[in-house]
Amino acid sequence: MLYTSESLEILIDELTKFPGIGRKTAQRLALYILKQPKEEVEKLVRAIIDVKEKIKYCSICYNITESDPCPICSSPKRDKTTICVVEEPMDVLAIEKTSEYNGLYHVLGGVLNPLEGIGPEDLKVKELIHRISSGGVNEVIIALNPSVEGETTSIYIANLIKPFGVKVTRIARGLPIGTALEYADTATIVRAIENRTPM
Amino acid sequence: MLYTSESLEILIDELTKFPGIGRKTAQRLALYILKQPKEEVEKLVRAIIDVKEKIKYCSICYNITESDPCPICSSPKRDKTTICVVEEPMDVLAIEKTSEYNGLYHVLGGVLNPLEGIGPEDLKVKELIHRISSGGVNEVIIALNPSVEGETTSIYIANLIKPFGVKVTRIARGLPIGTALEYADTATIVRAIENRTPM
């Protein structure tokens, strides 16, 4: 293009690859980088490189970590008899923020999705079964997202775990706190009624 | 924080500094970077560094450029008697995309904003007057954004230019193409009526 610079175009192209970042946003971000003082940009570049160099996956739970095993797996304060199965590292973060869960995690790295060609061998399913078969686990809490793929994967995993005689539960589906019943979707209301609890 | 890595937190903090990027989006972008293959991340880092190292500001129009003067200012095909005044480099891009304008530009670098302490000396106003006083300019088209600050800055600049006997115009305000009248805001409708054109 005549009217802009090649290096700016390349940066915009790179930023457009990010999830949820369209061309307009990428342009805005690229120009923001351009306007920043050199030291600020160097801090950003350093942070990106550090993340790639320092972060590994925990060899027990497959959460992201700078030390292996991760702080959660190696903490003497955590309840090692309970494993919570989640899709992604962000889910561990979300649950840890509640400060209500004191067990361990297992990060699958996604859910089964035949359309996108993601099968059990692409997820850390084998590794989960290995942890359970090694003993010491009393309960596995499945906390996958309430999507069709999440549901399918939950059932698949539950069936794999049950033969080991371990209790398998999954987090409740129902009305989110603060939502009006009239705005909830049908599937959520159906689940909320099914999972009603005694008062 | 116990449950996440320090380098990831630093990267999320850096990404949160971007305009329009909240904490949740920054987390998503940071984890995307983490998941990318090393070569992809290296391309991103290279693009960021290149933009900062290669891009300068044109010493005539203050648009961003890799060569000085910029391709527009140095093109023999452009009409050097007309200058279009815009706020930011993105505005040059937006106008160039129309392929309808063949004159030169002048990028102010912002608009007057007393509340944020931005005065004429923070913008390329002096440089614009210098270009006009050097002669050869027949028309200055003011194309600042239709905000209160944009309007104020337009009037301020018009008053500075008029003594040089140069024609000063500004881009029309009116109904955007494709909009229904009933959805347009009052100020736009008022301007559309004021600026009505004979048929």
Side-chain angles (χ1 to χ4, degrees), chain B residues 2-38:
Chain B
L2 176 70
Y3 51 90
T4 182
S5 93
E6 202 196 332
S7 56
L8 191 68
E9 279 301 312
I10 293 172
L11 179 58
I12 293 171
D13 285 345
E14 285 298 320
L15 293 171
T16 311
K17 291 179 186 168
F18 280 84
I21 302 284
R23 191 140 190 102
K24 285 250 163 176
T25 309
Q27 281 184 349
R28 195 158 40 81
L29 299 181
L31 284 168
Y32 176 80
I33 290 173
L34 188 60
K35 272 194 163 184
Q36 286 305 103
K38 205 160 183 280

Side-chain angles (χ1 to χ4, degrees), chain A residues 24-183:
Chain A
K24 286 250 163 174
T25 309
Q27 280 183 351
R28 196 156 41 81
L29 298 182
L31 284 168
Y32 176 80
I33 291 173
L34 189 60
K35 273 194 162 186
Q36 286 306 103
K38 205 160 182 280
E39 316 84 72
E40 277 299 310
V41 176
E42 278 164 4
K43 270 164 70 181
L44 172 67
V45 165
R46 189 69 253 165
I48 294 173
I49 295 172
D50 272 1
V51 151
K52 285 304 284 184
E53 283 181 354
K54 290 188 184 165
I55 296 186
K56 299 179 283 278
Y57 290 91
C58 172
S59 59
I60 299 174
C61 72
Y62 298 95
N63 190 13
I64 52 171
T65 177
E66 292 190 15
S67 55
D68 187 17
C70 76
I72 295 176
C73 285
S74 53
S75 165
K77 288 180 189 153
R78 310 285 303 211
D79 169 17
K80 292 189 166 38
T81 66
T82 311
I83 295 178
C84 179
V85 180
V86 297
E87 290 180 25
E88 300 288 350
M90 290 311 296
D91 302 325
V92 173
L93 238 88
I95 296 175
E96 283 296 290
K97 270 186 193 150
T98 68
S99 306
E100 286 290 324
Y101 178 70
N102 195 39
L104 304 182
Y105 292 94
H106 191 86
V107 182
L108 280 186
V111 280
L112 298 174
N113 193 333
L115 284 179
E116 292 184 9
I118 300 171
E121 66 291 346
D122 299 309
L123 308 174
K124 300 295 179 191
V125 173
K126 201 171 71 247
E127 291 79 357
L128 174 64
I129 302 305
H130 178 73
R131 283 177 78 180
I132 293 163
S133 66
S134 308
V137 179
N138 294 333
E139 181 176 356
V140 173
I141 302 170
I142 301 181
L144 305 182
N145 287 321
S147 59
V148 175
E149 293 79 14
E151 298 287 303
T152 315
T153 314
S154 297
I155 295 164
Y156 175 79
I157 290 175
N159 288 337
L160 284 181
I161 298 172
K162 277 175 192 160
F164 294 95
V166 169
K167 187 177 164 192
V168 185
T169 58
R170 79 161 145 196
I171 54 167
R173 275 83 165 90
L175 286 185
I177 309 302
T179 318
L181 189 66
E182 60 173 323
Y183 298 126

